[in-house]
Amino acid sequence: MLLRRITEHVKAQNWTAVGLDFVIVVVGVFIGIQVSNWNAARIEHGQERVALERLLSEAENAVAYLARFIESREEENQSREAMIAFLTDPERHPMDQADAANTLATMSYYPPMTPIRTVYDELSASGTLRGIRSQAVRDRMELYIAELNGHDISLDYFRQSAGATIYAELAPFMVATYDPANDQRRTLSVRWEAIRNDERAAFLTIDALRNQLVFQRFRRSVLENAQTMCDAVERELGDQCIPELAASRNREPL
């Protein structure tokens, strides 16, 4: 319709009308482009919010999981402290020998720490992560993942060096007896006096506790970065980071 009218105005050499028609066409195209851009931006912002909401949920779960995991390791280290005190001075620090033996067997134990990171990996692989406009959120996520990866590298090192060494050194001092009534099907006994009289074994046992305490700092650092990430997503969304709710929904043992 508009094209036919322009043609008629050109034939009639009505240049004013042609100019007006041209302006109408340009304005129409401009408005169409703006509407299209606005709609694309609206969709993009909607996708970004969905991504942030999913990341917030995952961050809450990560913080809750890490806090409970670290608390469990803290309790184990307290038992190790008590066992070392018993090993060093049993008269001042008495301890049930069965409990002490079971604790001694954990000195080489470095369990994996595996918070869920499905959403982050999915968004990163799809490129959606780059669509998050907040530099603070992106930086905090990258720092958290870097810290988590660093923990895993350190975990391999501590398992292969510190863990393997203490296990090999203490094995000759421990005796395992098959016990069908025990959940683990074994009862451990330890030649405590022999460890006390063996300077190297005693030193390595105490050093193993030190290694466990050192590694606990790596875990706490991961938790701190997870919390910082959760707070950054919280601010961007105008929502709340509430790990306690995630913890109440997910209470599997660690």
Side-chain angles (χ1 to χ4, degrees):
M1 182 71 179
L2 182 59
L3 180 60
R4 187 174 63 184
R5 192 174 63 186
I6 292 174
T7 302
E8 291 174 353
H9 289 158
V10 170
K11 288 180 179 179
Q13 296 188 355
N14 188 347
W15 305 119
T16 301
V18 171
L20 288 173
D21 290 339
F22 178 76
V23 170
I24 291 172
V25 170
V26 171
V27 170
V29 171
F30 175 77
I31 291 174
I33 292 173
Q34 290 300 107
V35 169
S36 177
N37 290 342
W38 175 83
N39 191 53
R42 182 179 61 82
I43 293 172
E44 184 178 324
H45 292 167
Q47 292 173 338
E48 179 189 26
R49 183 167 185 86
V50 170
L52 287 169
E53 288 172 347
R54 295 180 64 203
L55 282 169
L56 178 61
S57 178
E58 183 162 283
E60 288 175 335
N61 276 284
V63 172
Y65 166 86
L66 291 167
R68 289 185 296 111
F69 186 95
I70 290 171
E71 182 181 2
S72 295
R73 305 293 79 78
E74 202 69 47
E75 292 171 358
E76 291 170 355
N77 282 337
Q78 289 172 5
S79 296
R80 292 173 182 129
E81 292 262 19
M83 185 273 296
I84 292 292
F86 166 72
L87 175 65
T88 305
D89 192 344
E91 291 186 4
R92 291 183 56 195
H93 305 283
M95 186 178 185
D96 180 81
Q97 290 202 18
D99 291 341
N102 288 328
T103 300
L104 183 65
T106 71
M107 299 304 288
S108 62
Y109 179 51
Y110 290 91
M113 193 165 65
T114 55
I116 296 174
R117 47 180 285 179
T118 307
V119 174
Y120 173 87
D121 288 341
E122 176 189 320
L123 296 178
S124 182
S126 65
T128 307
L129 205 58
R130 293 192 297 271
I132 295 176
R133 292 168 295 170
S134 171
Q135 186 67 45
V137 170
R138 294 199 306 273
D139 288 348
R140 294 304 178 185
M141 284 191 295
E142 294 298 337
L143 283 172
Y144 163 66
I145 294 299
E147 197 72 28
L148 186 58
N149 290 339
H151 163 274
D152 293 343
I153 293 171
S154 299
L155 176 64
D156 289 339
Y157 171 78
F158 272 74
R159 280 177 169 175
Q160 294 170 14
S161 57
T165 299
I166 188 63
Y167 184 83
E169 291 289 338
L170 294 182
F173 298 93
M174 295 188 288
V175 177
T177 305
Y178 174 65
D179 183 359
N182 190 301
D183 289 342
Q184 298 180 356
R185 299 298 186 269
R186 75 173 185 182
T187 297
L188 280 178
S189 59
V190 176
R191 296 188 292 118
W192 295 105
E193 201 59 37
I195 294 180
R196 294 186 186 104
N197 293 328
D198 188 312
E199 291 184 357
R200 175 173 171 77
F203 169 81
L204 288 175
T205 304
I206 296 171
D207 197 54
L209 171 63
R210 171 209 171 264
N211 288 333
Q212 289 286 354
L213 296 175
V214 167
F215 198 75
Q216 187 74 331
R217 293 204 291 267
F218 289 115
R219 299 183 181 116
R220 292 196 194 100
S221 182
V222 175
L223 172 59
E224 290 169 5
N225 278 275
Q227 182 65 63
T228 303
M229 173 184 67
C230 200
D231 293 340
V233 179
E234 168 195 85
R235 288 191 295 271
E236 187 66 18
L237 273 175
D239 203 339
Q240 284 186 300
C241 171
I242 310 178
E244 292 80 7
L245 294 180
S248 66
R249 294 191 300 266
N250 187 17
R251 290 217 175 256
E252 76 280 3
L254 297 172

